[in-house]
Amino acid sequence: MCALQVRTWSLTSYASRLTVHRACSWCIEGGSSHVSHPTSDVDPLLGRAQLAALAGVSRPTVTAWERQEIGFPSPRRSNGQDYFRWSEIVNWLDRRTVPLGRLVDGEPIGTTYGDRARTRAGAGRSTAGASERYPGGGSSYRVPFGTVDEPHPESRRIVTDLMGGLVDRVRGTASVLDYLNLLLCLHYLRGADPACFEGLAARARVLRNLDEAAQLLRDIGCAADEDMRGRGVHSSMQEALGHLEPRTARDLRNVVDAMGRLTEDVFGLILDEYERQAALGSGEFFTPRSVVRLMTQLTCSEFGPGEPESVYDPYARDGGFLIEASAFCALDEDGLPRGKTPRTYGETRRGDTWRLATMNLLLHGVSPSLDLKRTVPWHDGLERTSQEAFDIVLTNPPFNMSDPGLGERPQGEWAYGAPPVDNDNFAWVQHCLSKLSERGRAGIIMPNKAGNSGHKADRTIRGNLVERGCVEGVIALPAQLFTGTAVPVSVWILRHPDDQRDRTLFLDARHMGEKKGSRRVLSAMEVESLLAAYRAHRSMEGDAPRVGATHTEGRIPSAWVSREKLRRSDYSLNPLDHVERRRDDGGDDYEYELVSAWERLNAAEEHLRAVQDSVARAPFTGDRGGTLPRAGGSAPRVALGSLCEIQAGPSYSKLGQKQRTPDGPVPVVFPRHLKDRRVSDDADERVTVETARRLSNFELWDKDIVCVRSGAITRPALVRQQQIGWLMSPNVIRLRVTERHANQVLPEYLFHYLCLDASVTWMRDRAAATAAPSLRSESLGSLQIPLPTLAEQREIVAALDSLDELDRAHLAAAVSARRTRTALAGALLGPPGRP
């Protein structure tokens, strides 16, 4: 059984993997501040009052020790309060003997305050034992588990709703990240302390006003902070959640209720939705879980002899690599616990991602050894990692960023050559190699252009990497895998130079992945295919085919390239320079293209049959004939403007060419993007998050209707969930059903009515009647709409939606048939000039 196979679990099993900690009872119910701390490998954080209780002294005594005694540990700051790490405090208390007059019953002469603190911590445990209160005290915490491959559709729907209109209704003037922290705190508490979460959820169900909502937000943050401090992590969630300003108590109640209906681990899904709608900017996009899994197994499964004992990520983002590596190494080939997990360590540069990564690690049973650092690691000469070596190094560093240092990089400080000052790509590569143990392996994501950059320094470093045998393999990944960047990337698999390789394996996986919205997604099956191809080639390394030959193992184009051939290619490490997608003599590549084409055609035809069956069951379409009711027959007619809020796009002064940038994360919808009654995902006009926030009145919500305002009037489009948060351009106009009329009219019904040829003609006539052809809001609002009952509207929408889906399914099948014809012709006839 694969150690990282898809895992399904209920809320109960989720909680059983985490340790139940009742910290929230102190901050919510006003109970005693005493918290017991069992002696284990957990290193919780304690306040001064807790230290006093454990040491059996007064609170002022602790303050006096802190001010007057040499070597007293330094505190960590969280939510305006100071906290001390248990291990540091108890070591300091071990050096102080309790005076004779202050010994209590049962304490022998010579007892230290450290002895007393340990005794009191042990005596204060619940009868269930330490493993139920702190991680590290029980076996469940010692078996980390990976992320869910494919969340349940209902979970995906709930998360999509949470990241929709509720974002602005709950955050107010706070950032989207503060709202994200709320979701993650609730998700964390739901797994770490179900009883505490249920208490908070019960309070949410009876919220009456905004004051109670504000108090509940503070208590949610306090509960999460207390629990994480008990696990040795200082956190400031209470402060972050205090920024939120819900519009109504009901909005917060809806958020808590939705989080309570989730029945599986959706931490990664929440981050995906956050990335898609809010975007992090600054290169802080998270690594797709499929890529994390691929890199983890490529490095950990091929490690040997023995098992990896340590894992390091120098740019940890959401902690995904540390989670998957811990989960993979925790189980043997039969899926049974090995009894130990590798030591993990990571670094991050931003406080916001540090907090969420810490929660993510805790939720998956991984010790959160994660440091927040403000400088790049190669500037930390005396830091912790400079003296450590790791068996596995996995990371997704920021691409093409510049070194914040000044001047040239000294040549002697870099084992493979000084990287250029204006680009850190090869600085990250060398840092990862410098952290490897003698048998270590590294996986690092690199932009494709780093593999064949013409920069002299880049070429020198690549040459040294190749000559010293550090590059085991390079895999070109599909485009558009990442939300935050369109830069094409590859995975580099590196080895310690003492374990060098004479040949490098290149795989071309650019054809893989399914298009979902604006992104591509690698399926679990495709990841397994890549792993199988890589391992198959590695197993034949000793009997490798002729140098530079291209092959298709498991239908994945690949090539073994010798060191000599890499020299002749100017030390290119870009798979596109070595793997030929088509060979001059035809052969396997034509067969590969044909097999792929047949697979796509079969899938398209299967989908078409399913849609046809669905259409047969839809209202008005099953018998394909008969007398049909007309919505305009007896239904009352109502002006469109009385049903909808009609909003024209922003002015050109607010959203002109100067405000737009192709690299921005938030798409802008122009008339050319309204295609086939849909908003196209090919958003080539974008703005920054700051601009989008400034123009939030013009953002699009789910089921908004977008019409052309100026220009050639075409059919409108209906906004889909994946387009929530996109912006209107000055050339479009938005229709949104008002809350007051939500129980009278369906947005989809209005949309289909506006798509009628007669409706489009009506809009064209009104636009042409103005001095400068443009459809005014007042004119559009005067359109009379027949308004049948909601039940009738639903039937009409179901019928027309089903035929729209049938139209798209036929088109997809036709496109697949044309591609299959092209592939078959190539396989049968071969290239021109072939003998």
Side-chain angles (χ1 to χ4, degrees), residues 679-742:
V679 177
S680 169
D681 287 328
D682 300 327
D684 52 355
E685 298 280 357
R686 294 172 173 266
V687 296
T688 64
V689 173
E690 292 74 18
T691 300
R693 188 171 298 139
R694 178 171 52 82
L695 299 175
S696 60
N697 289 338
F698 302 98
E699 70 180 9
L700 298 175
W701 295 0
D702 186 29
K703 298 181 181 178
D704 279 350
I705 302 169
V706 183
C707 302
V708 176
R709 178 188 181 191
S710 58
I713 302 297
T714 59
R715 285 183 173 83
L718 191 67
V719 176
R720 293 167 288 166
Q721 287 184 342
Q722 62 264 36
Q723 294 154 349
I724 295 173
W726 290 20
L727 283 186
M728 307 160 55
S729 73
N731 307 85
V732 301
I733 193 167
R734 181 190 69 202
L735 283 72
R736 178 178 297 161
V737 174
T738 61
E739 291 186 14
R740 187 161 60 93
H741 294 94

Side-chain angles (χ1 to χ4, degrees), residues 144-147 318-328 357 360-361 364 366:
F145 58 101
T147 56
D318 66 338
F321 285 116
L322 301 178
I323 290 170
E324 292 299 333
S326 295
F328 183 85
N360 201 8
L361 291 164
H364 291 90
V366 181

Side-chain angles (χ1 to χ4, degrees), residues 715-784:
R715 285 183 173 83
L718 191 67
V719 176
R720 293 167 288 166
Q721 287 184 342
Q722 62 264 36
Q723 294 154 349
I724 295 173
W726 290 20
L727 283 186
M728 307 160 55
S729 73
N731 307 85
V732 301
I733 193 167
R734 181 190 69 202
L735 283 72
R736 178 178 297 161
V737 174
T738 61
E739 291 186 14
R740 187 161 60 93
H741 294 94
N743 59 350
Q744 294 179 263
V745 62
L746 299 176
E748 299 93 334
Y749 169 78
L750 290 181
F751 164 69
H752 285 300
Y753 190 87
L754 292 173
C755 286
L756 289 172
D757 288 343
S759 298
V760 176
T761 300
W762 186 94
M763 289 186 281
R764 285 173 181 163
D765 291 342
R766 271 49 182 189
T770 59
S774 178
L775 184 60
R776 299 172 62 241
S777 300
E778 295 79 3
S779 298
L780 185 57
S782 67
L783 176 62
Q784 296 293 309

Side-chain angles (χ1 to χ4, degrees), residues 502-507 533-553 556-563 565 578 583 588:
D502 294 329
R503 284 183 290 266
T504 298
L505 174 62
F506 293 91
L507 298 181
Y534 197 91
R535 290 164 179 162
H537 282 293
R538 284 289 314 284
S539 67
M540 298 185 299
E541 184 174 1
D543 301 316
R546 63 185 176 85
V547 173
T550 299
H551 296 269
T552 306
E553 179 64 35
I556 298 174
S558 57
W560 273 109
V561 182
S562 69
R563 187 175 298 167
K565 190 169 187 293
H578 304 289
R583 294 165 56 190
D588 291 343

Side-chain angles (χ1 to χ4, degrees), residues 346-370:
E347 299 168 7
T348 184
R349 304 293 179 276
R350 292 177 52 167
D352 47 14
T353 52
W354 176 86
R355 285 196 298 268
L356 62 88
T358 298
M359 283 196 292
N360 201 8
L361 291 164
L362 283 171
L363 279 173
H364 291 90
V366 181
S367 178
S369 181
L370 196 64

Side-chain angles (χ1 to χ4, degrees), residues 641-704:
S642 66
L643 300 172
C644 296
E645 168 200 304
I646 303 178
Q647 173 68 58
S651 65
Y652 282 99
S653 62
K654 293 181 178 179
L655 187 56
Q657 188 63 45
K658 292 182 179 179
Q659 287 81 21
R660 301 196 299 271
T661 168
D663 300 324
V666 182
V668 181
V669 177
F670 282 78
R672 65 177 180 275
H673 299 134
L674 307 187
K675 301 176 181 178
D676 299 324
R677 300 188 295 276
R678 285 191 166 196
V679 177
S680 169
D681 287 328
D682 300 327
D684 52 355
E685 298 280 357
R686 294 172 173 266
V687 296
T688 64
V689 173
E690 292 74 18
T691 300
R693 188 171 298 139
R694 178 171 52 82
L695 299 175
S696 60
N697 289 338
F698 302 98
E699 70 180 9
L700 298 175
W701 295 0
D702 186 29
K703 298 181 181 178
D704 279 350

Side-chain angles (χ1 to χ4, degrees), residues 52 57-66 72 102 113:
V57 299
S58 65
R59 172 66 173 74
T61 299
V62 173
T63 302
W65 283 346
E66 184 180 4
F72 194 87
R102 296 187 178 275
Y113 283 105

Side-chain angles (χ1 to χ4, degrees), residues 51-52 54-73 89 92-93 96-99 102 113-114 116:
L51 296 184
L54 288 171
V57 299
S58 65
R59 172 66 173 74
T61 299
V62 173
T63 302
W65 283 346
E66 184 180 4
R67 292 178 178 175
Q68 301 171 12
E69 299 293 335
I70 297 176
F72 194 87
I89 283 294
W92 187 85
L93 292 175
R96 294 192 63 86
T97 303
V98 180
R102 296 187 178 275
Y113 283 105
R116 177 183 287 179

